[in-house]
Amino acid sequence: MQIACGSEHNLAVVDIKEDTAGLPPDIQNLCITMERDKPHGPLVSGSFSRFTSLENLLRNLGIYRLQLFCNCDNADFSKWVKENKKVQVEIMAPELDELQCLSNNGLDRPNLQLYGKQNCYFEMDFVLFVLTFLGVILFMLAVLIHRIAVYYIFSLYHITRAWLEQAVRRTRRVQFHYDAFVSYSSKDENWVLNELLPNLERRGPPFLRLCLHSRDFQLGKDIVENITDSLYESRYTLCLVSRNYLHSNWCSLEMGLATCRLQVEHKDVLVLVFLEKIPSRLLSAHHRLARMVKTRTYLDWPQDPDSHNAFWDRLWDKLKPEAVMNSGVFLGLE
């Protein structure tokens, strides 16, 4: 490779092989011509670093018949030509946008800038788009897991635990402390206090004993343990189903525990009472309850006051104890 260099009054031809030591120290304008008879000379096999080393010496750099191999070091050359501020660089015959590189097989000559984009550079806009898209997906998954999966895992854990505890209970005599565990939404508590308790607990003999979470749960005890213990210490689970009930996670857990007990014991231990008419589309989202409605008899709270007495007679007759022991505690063999 020969470099023709000059100032206003002279021209010189210097052969540069390894470095730029042969250039005059005051040179400002440089023209480089690749020799056609040496297509595999130092510039072709090397990188463009010997060009960039001239940027502190020159103002203008012209390059004719440039030949480069296809690699990422040489692909950076076109980027340097466009972005460097120290030297005015002009690529001629061919121009920069048309500059081709020689591939490793010695046959293909792709466009150097296109080769760099396809093999050496990341498109930042695309990278930012992908990262933003993945961030949104991860955020949505996190919200979904928090709102749905965690609840189901939580319920599954406690239902499995209750099933194991029930398996232990079946080997020994179980002492029932309540006739029924009442599963209801706290938003329906007025109905429980004003309608349910007066017509069940104060009606007798025998007088029924109901378990209410607001009244009978042990203080300081874990809520789930309170639910599990109270449910299994009751002969029946009485579920008071309403729209409020369907929207409560705690009620859903109680329903899951009650259906688990029903399947394990194979006894009629679950009683459903609907406090209001609920459309089928709302029930379909609650699979356990929807199956129960299709396979079991349930009670509807009548809107006609004249039918209330018949409703309470039927419910009381279902929940009343079969036998009263001398101690006053109901016993059952699981």
Side-chain angles (χ1 to χ4, degrees):
M1 176 185 67
Q2 289 185 337
I3 301 179
C5 54
S7 62
E8 293 181 355
H9 303 291
N10 60 51
L11 289 172
V13 177
V14 181
D15 186 21
I16 297 180
K17 295 180 188 261
E18 300 297 336
D19 52 40
T20 59
L23 291 176
D26 60 344
I27 189 171
Q28 294 184 347
N29 304 294
L30 181 63
C31 178
I32 300 176
T33 302
M34 295 292 300
E35 296 183 5
R36 290 186 181 277
D37 58 345
K38 294 182 180 181
H40 301 291
L43 181 59
V44 177
S45 59
S47 71
F48 69 96
S49 60
R50 61 182 61 190
F51 287 150
T52 60
S53 67
L54 300 173
E55 63 184 12
N56 293 323
L57 300 175
L58 304 174
R59 287 185 179 179
N60 301 287
L61 174 63
I63 306 176
Y64 290 86
R65 298 197 296 272
L66 178 61
Q67 302 174 72
L68 293 174
F69 272 131
C70 295
N71 57 53
C72 291
D73 287 337
N74 288 336
D76 286 339
F77 175 69
S78 61
K79 188 176 181 181
W80 174 78
V81 170
K82 292 181 177 181
E83 296 180 359
N84 91 88
K85 305 298 182 182
K86 296 181 179 181
V87 183
Q88 180 67 36
V89 183
E90 184 176 2
I91 308 297
M92 294 164 284
E95 296 182 355
L96 179 62
D97 292 339
E98 300 174 353
L99 182 62
Q100 296 178 339
C101 60
L102 183 64
S103 62
N104 291 332
N105 60 23
L107 299 176
D108 299 329
R109 291 180 176 271
N111 181 279
L112 179 62
Q113 295 187 68
L114 181 60
Y115 173 87
K117 289 181 179 179
Q118 293 178 343
N119 299 277
C120 304
Y121 310 136
F122 289 105
E123 292 289 344
M124 287 307 298
D125 290 343
F126 177 74
V127 172
L128 290 176
F129 168 77
V130 172
L131 291 177
T132 302
F133 176 78
L134 291 177
V136 172
I137 294 298
L138 290 175
F139 175 77
M140 294 176 64
L141 286 175
V143 172
L144 184 64
I145 291 173
H146 181 267
R147 294 180 61 87
I148 299 178
V150 169
Y151 165 71
Y152 281 111
I153 294 173
F154 175 81
S155 298
L156 179 62
Y157 164 76
H158 289 291
I159 290 173
T160 304
R161 177 184 169 187
W163 182 85
L164 294 174
E165 291 179 353
Q166 177 60 16
V168 175
R169 287 187 179 97
R170 294 182 66 182
T171 63
R172 58 186 175 85
R173 183 178 293 271
V174 177
Q175 194 174 38
F176 292 124
H177 298 288
Y178 305 99
D179 291 295
F181 170 78
V182 184
S183 174
Y184 65 96
S185 168
S186 58
K187 295 181 179 180
D188 297 322
E189 191 162 22
N190 285 336
W191 188 90
V192 172
L193 297 178
N194 297 326
E195 296 287 349
L196 185 71
L197 294 186
N199 287 280
L200 292 184
E201 281 196 332
R202 300 168 193 171
R203 177 177 182 170
F207 297 95
L208 300 183
R209 187 176 182 186
L210 306 180
C211 178
L212 308 182
H213 62 76
S214 60
R215 182 188 66 183
D216 300 303
F217 277 7
Q218 295 182 29
L219 295 178
K221 190 175 182 179
D222 180 75
I223 295 177
V224 177
E225 290 185 8
N226 260 319
I227 293 173
T228 304
D229 291 344
S230 299
L231 188 146
Y232 280 100
E233 290 174 355
S234 304
R235 291 188 303 109
Y236 291 97
T237 297
L238 175 62
C239 295
L240 306 180
V241 183
S242 65
R243 293 173 188 266
N244 296 326
Y245 189 94
L246 298 181
H247 294 154
S248 170
N249 289 335
W250 289 116
C251 293
S252 180
L253 175 62
E254 292 168 355
M255 172 66 73
L257 292 171
T259 54
C260 176
R261 180 188 178 190
L262 179 68
Q263 294 168 357
V264 171
E265 296 185 6
H266 301 289
K267 294 181 180 180
D268 184 17
V269 294
L270 180 59
V271 179
L272 295 178
V273 173
F274 281 80
L275 301 184
E276 58 183 317
K277 293 292 184 182
I278 297 180
S280 299
R281 59 182 178 82
L282 294 181
L283 284 177
S284 62
H286 301 267
H287 306 296
R288 293 190 187 93
L289 184 58
R291 287 196 301 268
M292 296 285 292
V293 169
K294 293 179 180 179
T295 59
R296 300 181 66 82
T297 303
Y298 57 89
L299 287 174
D300 286 313
W301 171 243
Q303 300 302 314
D304 182 7
D306 294 337
S307 301
H308 286 182
N309 286 335
F311 169 86
W312 293 120
D313 288 342
R314 191 177 181 187
L315 182 57
W316 183 87
D317 188 64
K318 174 66 179 177
L319 299 178
K320 69 180 180 180
E322 297 177 358
V324 181
M325 307 301 293
N326 294 332
S327 60
V329 177
F330 306 111
L331 298 178
L333 186 59
E334 294 296 318

